Each structure stands twice: as C-alpha cells, then as structure tokens.
Amino acid sequence: MAYTDKVLDHYENPRNVGRMDDDDQDVGTGMVGAPACGDVMRLQIKVNKEGVIEDAKFKTYGCGSAIASSSLLTEWVKGRTIDDAAKIRNTEIAQELGLPPVKIHCSVLAEDAIKAAITDIKKKRGESTETAQ
Amino acid sequence: MSLQQANYFELFSLPISFQLENTQLEVAYKKLQSEFHPDRVVNADDRTRVQALQQTSMINDAYVTLKSPLKRAAYLLKLAGVDAEEHNQLHLDEAFLIQQMEMRETLASLIGDEDLEGLDAMKDSIDKEKTTRLANFEAQFTASQFVKAKSIYNQLQFIYKLLDEIDKAEEKLLDY
C-alpha cells in the first residue's frame, strides 16, 4: 500500500523517539497495543506544575502508520495543557496524515496512548482521572 | 445440513473443541476437497459451477482457520458469540504490554548485533510462552470462561507477531 508523503516523512524521520524515566513524578506513561496487528506503543509526557506538556517521547513497534501517528502526536501535544491534549481525536491524526480506512486503527492507538499517559500523570498527582476523556 | 450452514468443525465432522487432531483434519479436508472439487462439475451449468467454486473456497477457509491454533481460537470465540477482534485498552494487561515492548527492544538489539544464537534463544523462550498460553486458552475456553479466554487470545496475537518478527529477522540475517 502506498503511504502518503506525510506518513513517509514521520516514518523515515520520526520525531521525539525515546524514553523518559517512568519513576519521575512529572512523567506520565501510556502503554497501549493493538492485538490484531501486534503493535505496541509507548507514549510519555513530561508535565509541569501548570499542567502544560513540556516534552513528549514515544517508541512504537508497528507499521509505518502507527509510527507516524505517534510521532505526529508527540509534536502536537508539546506546549498544550493535558486537558487540551486529551481532546485530540484520532480523526484529526488520520486526516493530517491522510491515512486510508484500513489504517484508521493506528490513529486510534495513538489517541489511546495519549489518554493513557494523561491518566497516568493524573494518578501520580492524586488527581481525579474522571475528566480525561 | 447444507455445506453453507455448517460451521467449520461440523464441516469436517470434528468436535467443537480447541483440541484438534491434525491428522483427522487433514483426512477430512482431503476427502471434502475431492468430493467438492470444481473439476467434477466442469461440464455442468453456470450455477452449479459457481456453487462448486464457493464450496471449495469455504472448505479451504475452514481448513486454514482450523489448522492454525491462533485462528482456531478466534473462530471458537466467534462461535461462542465473543468478538475476538474488538478490544478495549482497559482489557490489555499493562505488565504484559511493558514486557512486549521490552522484548521488541531486545529483538532490535539482537538484530543490530546480528546475533543469530541470541535470536534462536529468544525464539525458544517465546515459543514456550506460546505453548503455555495455548494450553491456558484451552482450559479457560473449555470452562466457558470466555472473557479470560479472549484476553489470552489477545496476548497470543502479540506473541505470534513477535515470533513472526524473529523469523523475518533470522531470514534476513541468513540472507534467504
């Protein structure tokens, strides 16, 4: 299947690949997976006291679309508040990358990952996780 | 009962169970294959020939599905009314995902080091995990614990994928 230029760009030059210290109280980690394709994704955010995401890192083992979705997401969430980042929808990612219908689930995985990372940081800080949508 | 109405187990006159005798499946498959072979109706009318093709294709699908333990597991869940492919992140065990991520990282470094022995050792250990989980799946499914069976099935999907990636890496290193 032909990937769009945007997917290829993120696949060949993924942004923000890496890992942060999971024990850091300012780091939220989201671990998600897609059983159907065996993809695994780790998305981490570093959040300051004001609730703003200062940095984001990811590592994805999966297809080009899954890598591109998570790479794009790390770019998007930097500088946003966690409440704002929680509003990012997979459809926006899919649209930006021009993902075909069969690859939409890759963008869903990325949305799940940021939600999981936000839930994790809120849990660490003893905040209610109810508001993370 | 017509061919179309039968489930894949009934088609081969096998009990609906995860436990499956491979030789029994092979024998039943070959028998049906010759019985419904499209060559037998080569001079018949269009409708009969189309039907024969559909039957052959169903027999092949059934065989492929039952032969693979992973596909067989998914099919059994489907027969039990469980959508095996529908999943929610809440149902995936985080510790399992972390372990999967670590194994992918190990695999990447073994590939980087062109460590064939290491790849073999990794494959052996993952094969054991696969065997254990297949047995667990069977136990839970037989006990009608479908939610648990499904979660084991989902873990098996990652394990099969990982084994596939190890195979690919070995083939590449051996330059097949």
Side-chain angles (χ1 to χ4, degrees), chain B residues 95-150:
Chain B
F96 176 79
L97 285 174
I98 290 172
Q99 189 201 14
Q100 284 300 303
M101 181 61 85
E102 282 166 358
M103 287 198 280
R104 289 301 194 100
E105 280 162 353
T106 307
L107 176 60
S109 71
L110 287 173
I111 293 171
D113 297 341
E114 302 195 357
D115 184 352
L116 267 175
E117 271 179 39
L119 285 171
D120 272 342
M122 185 176 185
K123 196 167 150 182
D124 283 348
S125 105
I126 308 223
D127 255 329
K128 286 198 186 91
E129 287 205 30
K130 180 180 96 176
T131 309
T132 310
R133 281 193 172 76
L134 286 173
N136 286 345
F137 175 86
E138 186 183 0
Q140 297 295 351
F141 185 83
T142 311
S144 299
Q145 295 292 319
F146 300 131
V147 175
K148 283 184 190 156
K150 180 185 160 175

Side-chain angles (χ1 to χ4, degrees), chain B residues 41-101:
Chain B
V41 291
V42 80
N43 295 317
D45 57 275
D46 283 356
R47 198 173 152 265
T48 311
R49 280 189 289 132
V50 167
Q51 211 176 13
L53 271 179
Q54 285 168 344
Q55 283 162 340
T56 307
S57 130
M58 185 195 173
I59 292 163
N60 287 336
D61 283 348
Y63 173 71
V64 169
T65 303
L66 295 194
K67 195 176 166 62
S68 146
L70 189 67
K71 289 189 175 134
R72 185 160 75 236
Y75 187 67
L76 280 167
L77 287 170
K78 194 178 144 200
L79 288 182
V82 182
D83 182 353
E85 304 307 331
E86 182 271 335
H87 85 280
N88 181 318
Q89 291 299 339
L90 297 172
H91 295 150
L92 288 173
D93 179 24
E94 201 186 356
F96 176 79
L97 285 174
I98 290 172
Q99 189 201 14
Q100 284 300 303
M101 181 61 85

Side-chain angles (χ1 to χ4, degrees), chain B residues 156-172:
Chain B
L156 276 163
Q157 289 180 292
F158 287 100
I159 289 174
Y160 270 79
K161 171 74 179 183
L162 189 58
L163 285 169
D164 199 36
E165 293 287 321
I166 298 174
D167 279 342
K168 268 195 236 160
E170 287 192 332
E171 277 172 25
K172 212 172 168 187

